[in-house]
């Protein structure tokens, strides 16, 4: 697993990092020495395991693992090993779907995994019309169809 940061806005204000993924929510992290910001930079680049992140940050693996778990609980990470597996044509065709599915991605399930599961699903939709439509229009006494 190679955790990767999702697309989000972040801003440093003094000793705080302000993260916004969903405009309705804001996550504020205290980061006086810049370690969390460095972790976020590395996660944004992607391509590193938790062990490699820990080595680069000179931190215990257990601390980085706990930080990754906390960021995943906030739905800010995806597993980079599960990204970029679609062909170029499929990635372009499903660009907007993949952008939407990013919100549902986690370390256990990337946006591409969600798309792949959807494409492999078999769904049968039965119906005869849209909202407020009638299959057999109601008849009233004296109408041509009532005779």
């Amino acid at each position: 697993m190679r955790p990767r940061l999702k697309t989000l806005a972040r801003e440093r204000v003094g000793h705080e990092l302000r993260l916004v993924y969903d405009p309705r929510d804001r996550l504020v992290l205290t980061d006086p020495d810049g370690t969390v910001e460095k972790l976020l930079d590395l996660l944004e680049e992607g391509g590193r395991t938790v062990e490699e992140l820990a080595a680069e940050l000179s931190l215990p693996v257990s601390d980085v693992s706990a930080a990754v778990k906390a960021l995943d609980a906030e739905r800010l990470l995806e597993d980079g090993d599960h990204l970029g597996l679609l062909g170029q044509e499929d990635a372009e065709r499903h660009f907007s779907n993949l952008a939407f599915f990013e919100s549902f991605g986690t370390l256990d399930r990337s946006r591409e995994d969600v798309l792949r599961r959807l494409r492999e699903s078999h769904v049968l939709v039965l119906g005869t019309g849209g909202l407020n439509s009638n299959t057999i229009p109601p008849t009233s006494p004296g109408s041509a169809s009532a005779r």
Side-chain angles (χ1 to χ4, degrees):
M1 172 186 50
R2 288 175 169 69
R4 183 166 183 162
L5 192 65
K6 292 180 182 179
T7 306
L8 56 85
R10 60 181 159 132
E11 172 185 42
R12 174 171 282 287
V13 178
H15 292 298
E16 293 181 343
L17 278 176
R18 297 176 182 184
L19 309 177
V20 178
Y21 175 68
D22 182 334
R24 298 169 292 184
D25 297 318
R26 181 178 70 190
L27 181 62
V28 179
L29 305 171
T30 302
D31 183 32
D33 64 355
T35 302
V36 175
E37 189 169 23
K38 176 69 174 168
L39 173 62
L40 294 176
D41 289 340
L42 295 173
L43 288 169
E44 191 171 45
E45 289 174 13
R48 293 174 181 85
T49 64
V50 171
E51 292 77 15
E52 291 168 335
L53 291 167
E56 194 151 341
L57 294 167
S58 301
L59 292 172
V61 172
S62 60
D63 288 356
V64 175
S65 182
V68 165
K69 185 176 179 180
L71 291 170
D72 188 45
E74 295 293 330
R75 295 187 161 260
L76 298 177
L77 298 177
E78 288 182 282
D79 185 354
D81 287 341
H82 290 239
L83 296 173
L85 301 177
L86 293 175
Q88 180 68 23
E89 186 176 312
D90 279 342
E92 288 177 13
R93 178 176 183 216
H94 297 289
F95 174 79
S96 62
N97 290 339
L98 290 168
F100 175 74
F101 292 147
E102 181 184 42
S103 297
F104 303 100
T106 65
L107 288 177
D108 294 327
R109 168 185 78 236
S110 76
R111 66 188 96 171
E112 290 184 17
D113 292 333
V114 174
L115 177 66
R116 190 171 24 266
R117 286 181 182 173
L118 181 64
R119 291 176 66 187
E120 292 170 355
S121 296
H122 299 283
V123 179
L124 174 64
V125 178
L126 299 174
T128 58
L131 187 61
N132 291 328
S133 68
N134 297 308
T135 303
I136 302 173
T139 59
S140 59
S143 68
S145 59
R147 294 186 189 149

